[in-house]
Amino acid sequence: MRRRVAAVVALLAGTATAVLGVIVVVKEFPRGLAVVACLAIAVVAAWYGALRRGVARVAGLYIAGIAAAGAIVLIVVGGKFGVDLLVLAGVLLTLAATRAAFLARAELPRAAAPQRAVLFYNPRSGGGKAERFALAEEARRRGIEPIELKPGEDLETLVRDAVARGADGLAMAGGDGSQAIVAAIAAEHSLPYACVPAGTRNHFALDLGVDRDDVVGALDAFVDGGQRWVDLAEVNGRVFVNNVSLGLYAEAVQRSGYREAKLRTLLDTVPDALGAGGSELDMRWTGPGGDGHRGGMAVLVSNNRYRLGRAVGSGTRPRIDDGLLGITVLGAPPEAGHRRAQRPWREWSAPTFEVEADRPLPAGIDGEALVLDAPLRFRIRPGVLQVRIAHQHPGSSPSATAPEGLRDGLAELVRIALGRDRKPAG
């Protein structure tokens, strides 16, 4: 019923907002075109300034600021501000209701509780969530042995020692880098694994269908939880649960001074890597058609495909058991000898992927900054991880049932409103 009400609200609010928006555009013409023009100038000028240094950078960013300010003035002063706010509120209400309508629970089969489950927890992760929620005490109440990761200790060693002592279930309360270590060992020994969202962002928990706001409740995965099998991915033999980022950001975080001045360091990296004669991002890779390519502002290789550029569910993975890597290349430069520019954004899926370079490549692996020897060889490991999820948690990604296109999205909202929606796979 909650999803049906949300779908009805989304359809009604979306229709009313669209009608009001058309009326505003017609009555306020050509103010809308001027706003779009100012924003376009701001983007082009900002990009021009980012690729350069000194006076050219200052000029580009200054022009970008003026253009952006002009767009704001046209929106606030040039029209009926109250009506504009009403349209904006309608858009936000429609998106919120649509997200709520597409949130669904997966019907996961129940699995027998492990007899000697172990919880590893990092008391420093997530600003001290483990201590704030008293995870050690809560784990003991459920018959789960808590083991604290202390400074200087190696998590992999702790996990392998626990397995050697007879642990038959492994849970991790910490960041996604720590989740990858425990998940890899659980898959290696065919043991059930539970993700406790005690990190900062908890992206893996979100896509698994773990309620990130219910840290303690996630422990119930080893009490009466459901079971699903998901994929893991690896690069040069190192397992990751979310993604590996290469390119501009990975280069910037390796530089001295990044922690003290993140924005300045990132801006200083742009002209070195992407400006005239920039060569730091000299990555070589093969596209989905089999053609070789070079460069790119960023390369993101993920454990299953991310949903990107969508109003609903963007930044999440609809599935984490598809058996394919998600590969996204942003800002690939045109190849020598080709007049036609390459597309700025490419996205595809494949079971393997390789990035070559003439030097070691900085990389962000599940949020951890590392340097990897080239070539970087990625591969997916389908269905190797047995995940337990608490019965009260969704058990599927927020975008598991979200359609890709606008037409399909409207059709699905109508089906949900009528009670005929499709359920996420268990």
Short mmCIF file of all heavy atoms in Angstrom, two decimals, residues 92 104 122 137 160 162 187 190 365 410 426:
data_model
loop_
_atom_site.label_atom_id
_atom_site.label_comp_id
_atom_site.label_asym_id
_atom_site.label_seq_id
_atom_site.Cartn_x
_atom_site.Cartn_y
_atom_site.Cartn_z
N LEU A 92 10.83 18.11 -7.01
CA LEU A 92 11.40 17.39 -5.86
C LEU A 92 10.40 16.41 -5.28
O LEU A 92 10.75 15.28 -4.91
CB LEU A 92 11.85 18.39 -4.79
CG LEU A 92 13.00 19.32 -5.19
CD1 LEU A 92 13.31 20.30 -4.06
CD2 LEU A 92 14.25 18.53 -5.55
N ALA A 104 11.53 -1.67 -3.18
CA ALA A 104 10.83 -2.94 -3.01
C ALA A 104 11.67 -3.90 -2.19
O ALA A 104 12.89 -3.79 -2.13
CB ALA A 104 10.51 -3.55 -4.38
N ASN A 122 35.63 -2.38 13.38
CA ASN A 122 36.63 -1.32 13.48
C ASN A 122 36.01 -0.18 14.28
O ASN A 122 35.10 0.50 13.77
CB ASN A 122 37.05 -0.85 12.09
CG ASN A 122 38.18 0.17 12.13
OD1 ASN A 122 38.47 0.75 13.17
ND2 ASN A 122 38.81 0.38 11.00
N GLU A 137 28.38 -5.68 22.38
CA GLU A 137 27.39 -6.21 23.30
C GLU A 137 26.19 -6.79 22.54
O GLU A 137 25.67 -7.86 22.90
CB GLU A 137 26.91 -5.11 24.26
CG GLU A 137 27.96 -4.65 25.27
CD GLU A 137 29.00 -3.71 24.66
OE1 GLU A 137 28.85 -3.34 23.48
OE2 GLU A 137 29.96 -3.36 25.37
N ARG A 160 41.51 -14.90 9.15
CA ARG A 160 41.99 -16.26 8.87
C ARG A 160 42.21 -17.05 10.16
O ARG A 160 41.97 -18.26 10.20
CB ARG A 160 43.27 -16.19 8.04
CG ARG A 160 43.05 -15.65 6.63
CD ARG A 160 44.24 -15.89 5.72
NE ARG A 160 43.98 -15.34 4.38
CZ ARG A 160 43.27 -15.98 3.45
NH1 ARG A 160 42.73 -17.16 3.71
NH2 ARG A 160 43.10 -15.43 2.26
N ALA A 162 40.41 -16.69 12.84
CA ALA A 162 39.07 -17.07 13.31
C ALA A 162 38.54 -18.26 12.52
O ALA A 162 37.91 -19.16 13.09
CB ALA A 162 38.13 -15.88 13.18
N ALA A 187 34.21 -15.96 0.81
CA ALA A 187 34.02 -16.64 -0.47
C ALA A 187 35.03 -17.77 -0.66
O ALA A 187 34.71 -18.84 -1.17
CB ALA A 187 34.12 -15.63 -1.62
N SER A 190 33.78 -20.61 1.40
CA SER A 190 32.35 -20.92 1.23
C SER A 190 31.58 -20.72 2.53
O SER A 190 30.72 -21.54 2.90
CB SER A 190 32.17 -22.34 0.71
OG SER A 190 32.81 -22.50 -0.54
N ILE A 365 40.70 2.01 -4.69
CA ILE A 365 40.03 0.71 -4.61
C ILE A 365 39.12 0.70 -3.39
O ILE A 365 39.59 0.72 -2.26
CB ILE A 365 41.05 -0.44 -4.52
CG1 ILE A 365 42.02 -0.40 -5.70
CG2 ILE A 365 40.34 -1.78 -4.46
CD1 ILE A 365 43.06 -1.49 -5.68
N LEU A 410 7.23 5.53 -16.42
CA LEU A 410 5.82 5.90 -16.28
C LEU A 410 4.93 4.66 -16.28
O LEU A 410 3.99 4.55 -15.49
CB LEU A 410 5.42 6.84 -17.41
CG LEU A 410 6.01 8.25 -17.36
CD1 LEU A 410 5.66 9.03 -18.61
CD2 LEU A 410 5.51 8.99 -16.12
N GLY A 426 15.22 -12.48 -5.85
CA GLY A 426 15.80 -12.83 -4.56
C GLY A 426 17.15 -13.43 -4.76
O GLY A 426 17.59 -13.70 -5.86
#
